[in-house]
Amino acid sequence: MAKIGIFVGTMYGNSLLVAEEAEAILRGQGHSATVYEDPELNDWRQYEHDHVLVVTSTTGQGDFPESIAPLFQTIKDQLGYQPGLRYGVIALGDSTYQNFCGAGKRFDALLAEQHAQRVGDVLMIDASEDPEPETVSNPWVEAWGAQLK
Ligand SMILES: Cc1cc2nc3c(=O)[nH]c(=O)nc-3n(C[C@H](O)[C@H](O)[C@H](O)COP(=O)(O)O)c2cc1C
């Protein structure tokens, strides 16, 4: 069973709700899962040879919420190479904005650049189509968790 850190970037709590439901689903599958609401590099480092699930919305013009912006920047500045890390991304956004799911896409691009291995596709949830994001994320998380050992 896998050890999974769930790293959250949220403004109004939608991503946190998605993350908390993901935590419950993954635990139900027998994994160990922990949500980090104001994640720091030390939290991230515990998963160097395990799994992380990034759940982040996008604000401003393709920007990260304040809760996760410092983590993204420190990973970029201080890590560089993470070949032992396996990850997934759930990106919340709204397609009426220009940079749809921009923050989630940037996190995925950074981790790929640092040689982490993504499990599954990035899930993008469009608030203008799905006002209850957990109805989209829950089945995705079930499938994602089933792929982990
Ligand atoms: C001020 C503001 C700026 C936003 N900018 C973007 C954006 O650039 N791209 C995008 O895809 N969504 C954008 N959104 C939509 C949010 O990402 C979306 O509503 C999301 O579900 C919020 O989740 P949260 O409660 O976890 O922050 C923006 C929303 C607000 C209120």
Side-chain angles (χ1 to χ4, degrees):
M1 290 293 115
K3 178 182 159 194
I4 305 156
I6 305 174
F7 291 81
V8 184
T10 189
M11 298 175 290
Y12 309 111
N14 290 306
S15 303
L16 181 59
L17 178 71
V18 164
E20 285 172 344
E21 298 221 354
E23 182 185 52
I25 290 167
L26 294 168
R27 285 182 179 171
Q29 290 176 328
H31 299 300
S32 130
T34 308
V35 169
Y36 296 91
E37 283 185 53
D38 289 295
E40 296 182 358
L41 189 62
N42 280 345
D43 303 322
W44 185 271
R45 280 207 155 118
Q46 294 176 51
Y47 299 91
E48 209 178 337
H49 300 290
D50 287 291
H51 302 78
V52 296
L53 179 59
V54 175
V55 184
T56 187
S57 66
T58 298
T59 187
Q61 295 172 322
D63 300 324
F64 287 99
E66 277 179 26
S67 65
I68 203 168
L71 176 70
F72 177 82
Q73 199 55 48
T74 22
I75 290 173
K76 194 171 176 190
D77 294 344
Q78 295 184 31
L79 293 188
Y81 190 53
Q82 310 188 65
L85 181 71
R86 301 181 81 211
Y87 72 98
V89 178
I90 299 178
L92 283 81
D94 185 327
S95 60
T96 61
Y97 288 85
Q98 258 190 356
N99 294 293
F100 177 55
C101 288
K105 288 177 186 166
R106 281 170 64 196
F107 222 120
D108 174 48
L110 175 67
L111 296 179
E113 193 183 303
Q114 297 193 347
H115 296 265
Q117 298 165 55
R118 196 179 68 215
V119 177
D121 291 330
V122 174
L123 175 65
M124 288 182 254
I125 305 178
D126 185 351
S128 69
E129 289 200 353
D130 293 299
E132 291 177 8
E134 69 281 9
T135 59
V136 181
S137 61
N138 287 351
W140 183 96
V141 171
E142 289 258 8
W144 189 79
Q147 294 177 68
L148 309 182
K149 288 176 194 146

